[in-house]
Amino acid sequence: MDKNKKKKQGIIDTVRQVDEKERQKLEAEKEEELKVQEKEREEYGKTLAEEKVELLKLKQGVISESDKLDLKPDEKKHYTPWQKFKNFIYHNKWWLGISTFFVLIAAFLVYDTLTTTKPDIKFMLLCNDTELYYRIEDIGKYFDQFTDDYNDDDKNCADILYIPISENEDTNSMGLYESSLTKLSAEFQMGETMLVIADKNSAELIMPEETLVNLEELYPDNPNIKEYGFYLKDTDFAELIGYTDGNIPDDIYIGIRKVTQTLTSEKEMQEHYDQAIETLDKIIKELSK
């Protein structure tokens, strides 16, 4: 036990001795470095003093030239193209940063404009049905086939705009409900989105008997049409979009808005209506088979 303790103490002492030697060595090197720096300062001070004396002699005319002073004018420094470029970047970095920021934004907007598919037809999805909400992409893809290329971008695209307008506290917060009402109001003030997928819960807000076309007048013999709506319950719609168990609610229908006076000109709204009714006609005929 004592041998082990003595051995451990011996190791500790050895480490201490090594550390002490290392410390002394570092101090010696630092002292030597300080001496070198002090000598350099002394020599530099001596050189400056000699140059001052030499310059004074030249000014007083004691001597006409000096070997200790270099009185030649500095030659103009020549920069390489790379050095000029780096110098320009350094002195203009803030402006270049701001300019780059706006260029990137402009590039993004251009890219987004060129790559984003613009819809040919828009639907407002006003149903308080979670399953339909989750199937928005599938609904859009299904309706694509009935949509013509109205915007001439070589693509057929139907866009589904979801606007939850139910006052059910379990599904909508007051903030979301008010936001949805604002969105719905804006869409109805414009004449671009003419087709709606709605249910009985939306009737109080959109007043279908006043805002939607009576489809019975256009399709008097279609069993799936009642007044202003083409009802989807007894069609293959649910199966085609992958709706769970095909059990779509009885009150969900597709309708089309009337052409009325809005913020959009009546002529433009009529154009959107003509495109929408053409699309709706294809949907009704396909799902009524």
Side-chain angles (χ1 to χ4, degrees):
M1 184 74 175
D2 293 337
K3 289 182 178 180
N4 291 337
K5 185 174 180 182
K6 185 176 181 181
K7 184 176 181 180
K8 289 182 180 179
Q9 289 176 343
I11 293 173
I12 293 174
D13 290 339
T14 301
V15 172
R16 286 175 179 173
Q17 291 174 6
V18 171
D19 289 343
E20 180 64 21
K21 289 181 180 180
E22 188 68 23
R23 185 185 64 79
Q24 292 176 358
K25 180 181 178 182
L26 291 174
E27 287 183 354
E29 290 176 352
K30 186 175 181 180
E31 185 177 350
E32 184 66 25
E33 185 179 352
L34 290 174
K35 288 181 180 180
V36 172
Q37 292 177 354
E38 181 64 26
K39 185 176 180 181
E40 289 177 348
R41 281 196 294 269
E42 290 177 358
E43 291 178 353
Y44 181 68
K46 183 179 179 180
T47 301
L48 284 179
E50 291 177 352
E51 289 180 350
K52 286 181 180 179
V53 172
E54 199 79 357
L55 184 61
L56 184 60
K57 288 181 180 180
L58 284 171
K59 289 183 177 180
Q60 293 176 347
V62 177
I63 58 176
S64 58
E65 58 182 21
S66 174
D67 295 332
K68 295 182 179 181
L69 296 175
D70 183 10
L71 300 178
K72 295 180 181 180
D74 293 336
E75 295 182 0
K76 185 176 180 180
K77 188 173 181 179
H78 295 282
Y79 295 94
T80 64
W82 175 244
Q83 289 174 325
K84 291 180 180 179
F85 175 74
K86 290 196 296 183
N87 188 55
F88 173 78
I89 295 295
Y90 177 78
H91 289 289
N92 297 277
K93 54 182 176 291
W94 287 108
W95 289 111
L96 287 172
I98 294 172
S99 300
T100 301
F101 174 74
F102 284 108
V103 168
L104 289 175
I105 290 178
F108 171 77
L109 292 175
V110 171
Y111 174 80
D112 185 64
T113 301
L114 294 176
T115 57
T116 301
T117 301
K118 296 180 181 179
D120 298 287
I121 288 292
K122 292 183 179 181
F123 292 75
M124 281 185 279
L125 179 59
L126 310 178
C127 303
N128 181 33
D129 186 270
T130 305
E131 181 77 12
L132 281 182
Y133 167 69
Y134 287 128
R135 299 294 177 184
I136 281 180
E137 186 175 347
D138 297 311
I139 296 171
K141 289 181 179 178
Y142 176 67
F143 286 156
D144 285 348
Q145 62 184 304
F146 307 111
T147 304
D148 287 343
D149 182 20
Y150 296 117
N151 56 24
D152 298 323
D153 63 353
D154 297 325
K155 296 178 182 179
N156 297 61
C157 179
D159 185 46
I160 312 299
L161 180 63
Y162 177 56
I163 307 178
I165 56 176
S166 171
E167 292 186 90
N168 188 335
E169 294 181 357
D170 294 333
T171 56
N172 286 308
S173 66
M174 183 56 67
L176 177 59
Y177 178 67
E178 292 178 354
S179 175
S180 296
L181 290 184
T182 301
K183 195 172 184 180
L184 178 67
S185 176
E187 288 297 330
F188 265 80
Q189 289 180 47
M190 305 300 291
E192 184 177 358
T193 307
M194 301 297 294
L195 292 167
V196 299
I197 303 173
D199 58 14
K200 63 181 181 180
N201 292 323
S202 62
E204 185 177 348
L205 286 174
I206 68 174
M207 295 181 291
E209 65 278 0
E210 296 182 15
T211 60
L212 302 184
V213 173
N214 188 335
L215 295 180
E216 285 186 348
E217 297 177 359
L218 301 178
Y219 305 92
D221 301 322
N222 193 307
N224 296 314
I225 288 178
K226 181 181 178 181
E227 296 180 339
Y228 39 77
F230 173 68
Y231 286 80
L232 301 169
K233 174 63 178 177
D234 296 321
T235 70
D236 295 331
F237 180 74
E239 182 181 350
L240 292 167
I241 66 169
Y243 196 98
T244 303
D245 299 328
N247 190 25
I248 196 167
D250 297 343
D251 61 337
I252 294 179
Y253 64 87
I254 302 177
I256 184 169
R257 293 168 56 193
K258 296 177 181 178
V259 176
T260 57
Q261 185 65 44
T262 64
L263 295 179
T264 302
S265 68
E266 190 170 338
K267 179 181 179 182
E268 185 177 350
M269 190 174 185
Q270 181 65 52
E271 181 180 346
H272 288 300
Y273 172 85
D274 293 340
Q275 296 170 353
I277 194 65
E278 184 178 10
T279 301
L280 180 59
D281 181 67
K282 294 177 183 177
I283 294 172
I284 290 174
K285 288 179 178 178
E286 179 64 26
L287 292 177
S288 298
K289 291 180 179 179

